[in-house]
Amino acid sequence: MSRSARRIPTVNLSHYRSGTPEERARFVQVFGDALKEFGFVTVEGHGVEDGLIRRTYSDVERFFQLPESTKTRYAVPERPGQRGFMAFGQEHAKNRKVGDMKEFWHVGRELPVGHPYRDDYGANVWPEEVPSFRDNTLTLYKELDDAATVMLQALADYLGIARNTFSDMTVDGNSVLRLIHYPPLKDRFIPGGVRAAEHEDINFITLLCEGTSGGLELLTRDGEWIPVDTLRGQIVVDSGDMLSRVMNGVIPSTTHRVVNPPSTEQDTVRYSMPFFVHPFSDCVLKPLPQTETPDNPARHPPITADAFLKQRLRELGFLK
């Protein structure tokens, strides 16, 4: 099949939440098969309000149009890459030294005073120049978190294991909403750089609201790069390294990238909002017993989600 003809499957989450038994079974099968084959699947009917996505994008645009001196006031050096603002070019892909041509903001989980993970996760910061930023991003965070919980339950159904196996791992998890600004290359450019070099996500699964322009590509199991285009109202879901460890590679983490605009006419600003679903810090990432076989023995030793996250943040240049 040609590159232009290959497309990741599309499913409707409402069929799992409230559909007929046949619709529910169909969702589970297609959703699981897509993650197994592509590591990516497009989801409609996810329950995240379209107006909320539009309002949040508007807030994100307003923030990134602020002067650099204003934006850098919201950097959180004690938690680099985890909360607040990260400047253009600071993040680079694993095993790569050239920074990605993007800047971004991280919103994390809000936990009550006295919660055991409150100090570990750290506090959010909020830009006073965009008053609606806090409410819109936290509401989007919650709606994406709710949708992710349902998807993880569907994945457990696909594997024939207890429905809450994965979703229990992410209760009070260290999940992050990343708000990304890719400036036009004519405005900011790093020699040898790309918008987002090829990489795998660290976390369990990622929910990506539709970007404001194209450029996202995934690497198929047979080594072919194919575009991942989304329509308004769709969310792209992909599997990450933490899920791959728990699944012992049965569902692998998929390599993907955001390529540079192919022409000056297409060299426009791009915004995107991925939601990285993480387990809670003390969650031990080890292969499920069902995934270990004589032909597929355990590929990695057990490690806590927090230790794995810090290992990867060092590889990305955030931690020393």
Side-chain angles (χ1 to χ4, degrees):
M1 186 177 291
S2 70
R3 182 180 189 273
S4 60
R6 297 193 74 180
R7 290 291 183 269
I8 62 176
T10 299
V11 293
N12 191 312
L13 189 59
S14 69
H15 292 170
Y16 181 78
R17 279 176 159 149
S18 57
T20 65
E22 293 76 16
E23 288 174 330
R24 188 181 179 94
R26 173 69 177 164
F27 176 93
V28 167
Q29 191 66 46
V30 176
F31 183 79
D33 285 348
L35 288 181
K36 214 169 183 179
E37 179 182 356
F38 292 100
F40 272 73
V41 61
T42 299
V43 179
E44 299 175 339
H46 41 70
V48 180
E49 183 203 349
D50 179 76
L52 174 62
I53 293 174
R54 308 273 80 76
R55 293 192 299 274
T56 307
Y57 266 133
S58 178
D59 284 348
V60 170
E61 183 176 4
R62 288 174 61 194
F63 173 77
F64 284 113
Q65 288 177 343
L66 294 171
E68 198 71 15
S69 58
T70 301
K71 292 185 291 188
T72 55
R73 285 183 15 227
Y74 296 103
V76 185
E78 65 273 19
R79 294 187 182 276
Q82 299 174 73
R83 295 292 183 273
F85 175 68
M86 286 295 294
F88 184 83
Q90 279 194 261
E91 182 183 54
H92 61 77
K94 181 180 176 181
N95 299 323
R96 184 177 166 89
K97 300 302 182 184
V98 179
D100 287 345
M101 294 190 292
K102 66 189 179 193
E103 57 185 349
F104 56 88
W105 181 289
H106 272 174
V107 175
R109 189 177 299 280
E110 298 263 281
L111 293 172
V113 174
H115 192 285
Y117 293 134
R118 182 182 170 91
D119 292 338
D120 181 32
Y121 292 176
N124 283 310
V125 294
W126 305 109
E128 59 186 29
E129 294 80 4
V130 188
S132 55
F133 190 98
R134 182 182 189 275
D135 286 347
N136 283 332
T137 57
L138 285 179
T139 303
L140 181 60
Y141 185 111
K142 183 182 184 306
E143 291 197 8
L144 290 168
D145 201 29
D146 291 345
T149 295
V150 178
M151 293 180 202
L152 289 172
Q153 290 171 346
L155 181 59
D157 284 351
Y158 174 76
L159 298 166
I161 59 179
R163 180 166 294 164
N164 291 338
T165 299
F166 299 126
S167 58
D168 282 353
M169 296 180 185
T170 62
V171 172
D172 292 340
N174 195 12
S175 299
V176 172
L177 175 62
R178 174 179 283 197
L179 313 164
I180 310 176
H181 171 224
Y182 302 92
L185 304 190
K186 62 180 178 288
D187 294 343
R188 304 188 77 172
F189 182 76
I190 299 173
V194 293
R195 282 185 155 175
E198 58 186 73
H199 64 283
E200 299 79 43
D201 288 345
I202 300 171
N203 45 293
F204 242 36
I205 60 172
T206 301
L207 278 62
L208 178 64
C209 299
E210 76 268 16
T212 60
S213 63
L216 177 63
E217 297 183 344
L218 70 87
L219 185 64
T220 65
R221 307 294 181 233
D222 53 7
E224 179 186 18
W225 286 103
I226 63 172
V228 181
D229 298 318
T230 52
L231 302 175
R232 184 164 176 164
Q234 294 179 331
I235 284 177
V236 170
V237 178
D238 72 87
S239 51
D241 289 340
M242 291 185 179
L243 180 64
S244 180
R245 291 182 78 102
V246 172
M247 288 300 303
N248 203 30
V250 172
I251 292 181
S253 183
T254 296
T255 303
H256 53 286
R257 65 188 181 185
V258 179
V259 298
N260 294 343
S263 67
T264 54
E265 292 76 20
Q266 293 170 278
D267 184 19
T268 59
V269 66
R270 182 179 194 268
Y271 295 98
S272 69
M273 299 189 297
F275 180 65
F276 300 119
V277 181
H278 282 259
F280 56 88
S281 286
D282 294 326
C283 180
V284 178
L285 306 175
K286 61 181 181 180
L288 295 172
Q290 300 92 328
T291 67
E292 291 188 57
T293 66
D295 293 331
N296 188 38
R299 303 185 184 194
H300 304 283
I303 187 172
T304 65
D306 183 63
F308 184 73
L309 174 62
K310 287 183 168 61
Q311 172 188 311
R312 289 298 306 276
L313 290 176
R314 283 190 289 272
E315 293 168 348
L316 297 176
F318 292 140
L319 299 178
K320 302 299 183 184

